[in-house]
Amino acid sequence: MTDALLPAAPQPLEKENDGYFRKGCNPLAQTGRSKLQNQRAALNQQILKAVRMRTGAENLLKVATNPKVREQVRLELSFVNSDLQMLKEELEGLNISVGVYQNTEEAFTIPLIPLGLKETKDVDFSVVLKDFILEHYSEDGYLYEDEIADLMDLRQACRTPSRDEAGVELLMTYFIQLGFVESRFFPPTRQMGLLFTWYDSLTGVPVSQQNLLLEKASVLFNTGALYTQIGTRCDRQTQAGLENAIDAFQRAAGVLNYLKETFTHTPSYDMSPAMLSVLVKMMLAQAQESVFEKISLPGIRNEFFMLVKVAQEAAKVGEVYQQLHAAMSQVPVKENIPYSWASLACVKGHHYAALAHYFTAILLIDHQVKPGTDLDHQEKCLSQLYDRMPEGLTPLATLKNDQQRRQLGKSHLRRAMTHHEESVREASLCKKLRSIEVLQKVLCAAQERSRLTYAQHQEDDDLLNLIDAPSVVAKTEQEVDIILPQFSKLTVTDFFQKLGPLSVFSANKRWTPPRSIRFTAEEGDLGFTLRGNAPVQVHFLDPYCSASVAGAREGDYIVSIQLVDCKWLTVSEVMKLLKSFGEDEIEMKVVSLLDSTSSMHNKSATYSVGMQKTYSMICLAIDDDDKTDKTKKISKKLSFLSWGTNKNRQKSASTLCLPSVGVARPQVKKKLPSPFSLLNSDSSLY
C-alpha cells in the first residue's frame, strides 16, 4: 500500500477499548466512508504517477530534435493524457458517491453533497526538530523525543478522524498545535527542510511545499469537509436531525470561508479563493434546503398562509441553487468542479422553483372566501408573494374572483411543469445523477403530482385565457449564514512548553548560548533586582557586585538556578529560590537576546503578533527585615528597592492580554499567545 493510505492496524488490538486510540480517531473503522477514502488515496497515487510521466514526456518533447522521436513522444503523451483524464473522471465519481455519506435510514429525500478529505503523505519531524532545538535553544533534542512523538501521533490520527464532534475537535487541536509549532520551530527567514505533501481533493494532483502554511490550510479544509460529512449523515426525518444538519453546513461554510480569507495564495486548486467561494455557497445552499425540509417535515396543510410560507421557502432554495449553478459555470471553477455537482445544483434549482409554483397554484385554486375570512391579511400576503401582479389583476380582485384565481393558479402549474421537465432532463444528461435512484424517484414523483393536479383543472378554453404566472418572491424565516470556527473554546497544551514561554522563546528570536554565572550574595544582597514574569530578567544590576563580575548583564533572562528550570517561574518564586541559598555560591544560567533593543521589556504598551501586551515594573527586596542595616553601593538602588518593597504583594509584571488557548505546567499555569493571532498578513503569503 502507498504512504497515502490508512495506516496498518497496530498489533495490540486488545487496547482498542482502553484508550489506545486518540479520541476522535479510529484507523481500524472500516466504514463505507473509510473504504471510499482508501480508493481516493489509491487513485491519488495513480494520478501522481501519470502526472510525472506527462511531465517527463513534455520535457522530452521540448529537447528532442529527431522527428521520429518527437512523433513517438507525442503518441506517448496522448496516451498519458488519456489515462490521466480517465483517472480524474474516476475520482470525480468518488466525489459524487454521496450514498455512503447519507443517513442509513430509508428516506425519500434528495441526497446532499459532502466533501471528501484531503489525503497526505507521512512527515518525520524528529530529525529536523531535534537539530533546531540544539541549534536555536541550546538544549539536547533527545530530551524532547516524547513531545515530537506526540506531535507525529496527532498528525497521524488526523488522517482518519471520526465523523462526529470528536473528529472535528481532533482536527482543530492539531491546527492549534501547528500554531505553536510554527512559532517554536519555523523562523520566517529560512526553510526547515520539511516537505509537506497534500493531494487535491477534486483533481488528485499532489502539492508539496516546505511551508507549514500548506499543512495548516489543508487541516482547515479537512475540518470543513468533515462538517459536511456530519451534515449529510444527520437524520433528516426528525426536527433535531435537520437542525443539526443546518448547523453542520453553516459551520462547514464558516471554516471554508475562514480558510479563504486567511490563506489567500494556496497552491492547491481545491483551496483557491474561487473554488472556496463556490464551496461556501454550496454549503449555505444545502443549509437552506435543510431549513425548507424542517418547515415541511410536520406536513404541509392546505391552508392559505401556510402555503404562502412554503412557496416562498421553496423559491428561496431554488434561488440559492440557481446562484450556485451560475457560480459553478464560471471560469476557472467550471474546469475543475465535478460536472455532477454542477448538474445537481441545476436540477435542484429547477426542482425547488417548480415546488414554489406548485404550492402557489394550490393556494389559488383551492382558496375559498368564507365568512369571517381575514381578507385584508390574505390580500397583503398575496401582494407580497409577487414582485408585481400580472397585468390587469389586483390582489383583492383576484381573491374575490374565482375565475381569475383558477386561471392564475393553472398558469403557475404550467410553470411548475416546465421547471419539472428541466430538472428531469438535466438529471438524465448526467451519468452520475442517473445512477442515484432516490433522486430520480423524487423528481418523477413531484412532476407527476403537478401533472395530475393540472389535469384535474384543465379546461378546453385554457389556451384562450393564458396568463403569464409571475415569479414567486424568495423569502425565508431562517436566513442561513456562516458560523466562524470557535478555536478559542479549545484549550490546547503546547507540546514543547518545556522550552519556555512562547512570548520569549520562539523561533523568530536569536539567543546567545546559556552562560553560567557563579556568584554569592553579599550580606544578603544579590546586587540586582528582578523584573518580568516567566521568564524573569536581571534588572538594575550593580556593576560591582559578584554577579556582574561573573558576567551577568542587565536584561539577561534567568533560565536555571542550581539546575532548577526557571523559565516558567514568577518573580516571587525566583526570589524565594535565590534567598534559600543564603551566602552560599549560586550557579545561575542566563541567556540574552542578540538584538539588544528587544532584550528589555518596555514599560509602554506594545504590540506583538497582533495581540496587545503590557508590562508593569515590580521589584522585590531580598530581605525586608534587614534592609535598614544594608550598605548599598548605588544610591538609586536604595530608593528603587524601597519603592519595590511596598509593592511586593502585587502580581509581578509581564501580564499578557491573550485568548484562552493556554499552556500549563504542574506548578504555575501560564497563558501562551494563541496561534490564531499569528495568522497575520504573513499567513496569506505562500
Side-chain angles (χ1 to χ4, degrees):
M1 301 297 284
T2 65
D3 56 0
L5 298 183
L6 300 182
Q11 292 303 317
L13 300 180
E14 65 273 5
K15 293 185 179 181
E16 179 178 354
N17 297 323
D18 298 327
Y20 182 80
F21 295 112
R22 188 181 293 272
K23 182 181 179 182
C25 163
N26 186 359
L28 300 183
Q30 289 299 313
T31 62
R33 184 194 64 153
S34 64
K35 294 176 181 178
L36 204 62
Q37 286 295 132
N38 272 331
Q39 297 176 32
R40 188 192 307 276
L43 273 178
N44 286 337
Q45 291 297 314
Q46 296 179 47
I47 291 174
L48 174 60
K49 181 180 178 181
V51 168
R52 287 173 176 172
M53 292 179 64
R54 183 178 66 178
T55 302
E58 290 174 345
N59 292 336
L60 181 58
L61 187 62
K62 291 178 181 178
V63 300
T65 57
N66 189 302
K68 290 186 177 180
V69 173
R70 291 178 63 86
E71 182 179 354
Q72 186 175 358
V73 172
R74 287 194 183 96
L75 181 61
E76 183 66 26
L77 190 59
S78 66
F79 280 115
V80 172
N81 284 329
S82 177
D83 186 39
L84 186 59
Q85 183 62 31
M86 291 177 63
L87 290 173
K88 289 185 176 182
E89 289 178 358
E90 191 173 350
L91 182 61
E92 179 184 340
L94 294 181
N95 287 330
I96 196 59
S97 298
V98 296
V100 298
Y101 295 99
Q102 311 299 314
N103 188 270
T104 55
E105 300 294 332
E106 291 293 333
F108 195 65
T109 54
I110 300 179
L112 300 171
I113 299 176
L115 297 178
L117 301 181
K118 292 171 68 71
E119 296 289 341
T120 183
K121 288 185 176 181
D122 289 331
V123 176
D124 187 358
F125 290 96
S126 56
V127 176
V128 173
L129 296 193
K130 286 178 183 177
D131 290 346
F132 190 82
I133 290 173
L134 179 61
E135 170 198 346
H136 187 77
Y137 295 101
S138 300
E139 295 192 35
D140 188 352
Y142 288 94
L143 299 176
Y144 291 85
E145 285 185 336
D146 291 342
E147 287 79 2
I148 296 173
D150 288 340
L151 177 64
M152 295 175 64
D153 288 344
L154 178 59
R155 186 184 193 274
Q156 188 68 18
C158 288
R159 299 173 69 177
T160 55
S162 57
R163 189 167 41 182
D164 50 27
E165 286 297 329
V168 172
E169 184 174 336
L170 176 69
L171 291 174
M172 286 189 173
T173 298
Y174 180 54
F175 176 77
I176 297 172
Q177 194 66 237
L178 286 176
F180 293 132
V181 171
E182 183 178 30
S183 299
R184 295 281 191 191
F185 303 108
F186 286 80
T189 56
R190 64 166 176 156
Q191 299 291 347
M192 293 298 295
L194 286 172
L195 190 65
F196 301 96
T197 300
W198 287 84
Y199 293 86
D200 193 298
S201 65
L202 301 178
T203 65
V205 176
V207 173
S208 299
Q209 278 197 349
Q210 295 187 41
N211 201 318
L212 193 64
L213 294 179
L214 174 62
E215 180 90 349
K216 296 168 71 176
S218 299
V219 173
L220 274 181
F221 183 92
N222 277 0
T223 304
L226 194 60
Y227 269 127
T228 68
Q229 296 179 11
I230 293 174
T232 55
R233 190 65 173 175
C234 293
D235 185 1
R236 292 154 64 195
Q237 298 302 303
T238 64
Q239 287 284 342
L242 286 169
E243 289 175 358
N244 291 336
I246 295 169
D247 180 74
F249 284 121
Q250 290 182 114
R251 292 185 183 278
V255 173
L256 296 175
N257 190 69
Y258 178 82
L259 172 59
K260 181 189 69 172
E261 294 181 350
T262 307
F263 301 87
T264 56
H265 292 87
T266 50
S268 183
Y269 188 78
D270 56 355
M271 297 189 294
S272 65
M275 181 59 72
L276 289 174
S277 296
V278 169
L279 295 180
V280 169
K281 288 180 182 294
M282 185 169 73
M283 297 310 129
L284 293 179
Q286 295 188 138
Q288 196 67 60
E289 183 179 4
S290 300
V291 170
F292 173 80
E293 292 178 346
K294 186 180 74 169
I295 293 173
S296 305
L297 185 63
I300 302 174
R301 303 185 308 275
N302 192 359
E303 188 266 330
F304 186 89
F305 301 110
M306 179 66 179
L307 291 173
V308 169
K309 176 181 176 181
V310 173
Q312 291 188 312
E313 289 284 352
K316 179 66 175 180
V317 180
E319 179 183 75
V320 294
Y321 271 114
Q322 289 169 6
Q323 294 172 353
L324 174 62
H325 179 255
M328 288 180 170
S329 303
Q330 299 296 320
V331 178
V333 175
K334 181 180 180 180
E335 300 172 359
N336 291 280
I337 200 80
Y339 173 70
S340 49
W341 288 8
S343 297
L344 186 58
C346 183
V347 166
K348 289 188 176 184
H350 285 295
H351 174 71
Y352 285 101
L355 292 183
H357 286 288
Y358 172 79
F359 291 122
T360 302
I362 296 301
L363 76 88
L364 289 170
I365 293 175
D366 293 350
H367 170 74
Q368 296 290 335
V369 178
K370 300 177 181 178
T373 300
D374 189 353
L375 198 58
D376 291 338
H377 191 192
Q378 290 186 356
E379 178 189 7
K380 181 179 179 180
C381 286
L382 186 60
S383 63
Q384 294 177 349
L385 188 62
Y386 304 125
D387 282 333
R388 58 173 181 80
M389 288 292 292
E391 185 177 355
L393 299 181
T394 61
L396 183 58
T398 302
L399 289 173
K400 293 181 177 180
N401 190 314
D402 293 343
Q403 182 66 21
Q404 287 184 3
R405 282 190 291 99
R406 282 195 297 270
Q407 290 299 330
L408 183 57
K410 284 188 285 187
S411 68
H412 279 287
L413 283 176
R414 286 193 293 270
R415 285 200 63 178
M417 289 189 293
T418 301
H419 282 294
H420 282 309
E421 291 171 0
E422 281 297 312
S423 65
V424 173
R425 185 183 69 84
E426 286 288 340
S428 65
L429 293 177
C430 180
K431 179 181 178 181
K432 302 300 180 183
L433 297 186
R434 288 200 302 268
S435 63
I436 303 178
E437 185 177 354
V438 66
L439 174 63
Q440 299 294 330
K441 289 182 178 179
V442 170
L443 297 180
C444 291
Q447 183 184 31
E448 183 66 13
R449 181 178 59 182
S450 296
R451 189 189 65 80
L452 291 176
T453 303
Y454 183 77
Q456 292 174 2
H457 299 88
Q458 188 176 12
E459 298 176 0
D460 295 337
D461 61 345
D462 281 348
L463 295 177
L464 301 177
N465 298 285
L466 290 178
I467 299 177
D468 291 333
S471 298
V472 179
V473 173
K475 187 178 179 181
T476 179
E477 67 175 19
Q478 183 178 345
E479 193 78 38
V480 298
D481 199 3
I482 62 174
I483 299 179
L484 293 175
Q486 301 295 319
F487 296 111
S488 59
K489 291 185 177 181
L490 281 177
T491 301
V492 179
T493 301
D494 180 9
F495 285 153
F496 300 93
Q497 60 175 317
K498 288 193 303 183
L499 291 172
L502 188 57
S503 59
V504 175
F505 296 97
S506 60
N508 62 350
K509 295 184 178 180
R510 299 174 60 231
W511 300 93
T512 61
R515 307 193 313 277
S516 181
I517 309 296
R518 295 179 179 272
F519 68 99
T520 57
E522 301 173 1
E523 299 180 359
D525 182 12
L526 293 174
F528 58 86
T529 59
L530 302 177
R531 70 175 297 172
N533 196 26
V536 173
Q537 283 183 288
V538 175
H539 190 49
F540 280 119
L541 178 66
D542 184 345
Y544 301 104
C545 69
S546 61
S548 179
V549 173
R553 297 194 298 265
E554 286 197 18
D556 283 345
Y557 287 93
I558 301 175
V559 295
S560 70
I561 299 175
Q562 299 290 75
L563 302 181
V564 177
D565 192 341
C566 298
K567 291 192 290 290
W568 282 101
L569 297 185
T570 63
V571 168
S572 58
E573 289 172 331
V574 173
M575 187 64 68
K576 182 178 180 181
L577 181 61
L578 289 171
K579 289 171 62 176
S580 67
F581 296 105
E583 295 186 358
D584 296 337
E585 184 181 64
I586 303 172
E587 181 182 5
M588 180 174 69
K589 287 189 177 182
V590 298
V591 295
S592 301
L593 282 173
L594 291 180
D595 181 9
S596 59
T597 60
S598 59
S599 62
M600 294 293 290
H601 292 314
N602 192 327
K603 288 190 288 185
S604 62
T606 60
Y607 287 86
S608 176
V609 294
M611 303 299 296
Q612 184 181 16
K613 51 186 178 182
T614 57
Y615 301 93
S616 57
M617 189 166 61
I618 306 290
C619 294
L620 302 177
I622 298 177
D623 192 346
D624 295 336
D625 297 331
D626 300 332
K627 74 175 188 297
T628 56
D629 299 330
K630 294 178 183 177
T631 302
K632 304 303 177 184
K633 298 181 176 64
I634 301 176
S635 59
K636 291 183 178 179
K637 188 175 178 182
L638 285 171
S639 60
F640 186 78
L641 284 177
S642 177
W643 177 86
T645 304
N646 295 329
K647 305 293 184 179
N648 59 1
R649 294 184 180 181
Q650 298 181 11
K651 187 177 179 181
S652 53
S654 197
T655 302
L656 305 186
C657 302
L658 298 174
S660 61
V661 179
V663 175
R665 65 181 184 88
Q667 294 84 3
V668 181
K669 294 185 178 179
K670 302 292 176 190
K671 295 289 184 180
L672 283 185
S674 169
F676 320 115
S677 62
L678 305 180
L679 293 176
N680 51 17
S681 59
D682 294 337
S683 301
S684 60
L685 298 179
Y686 266 66

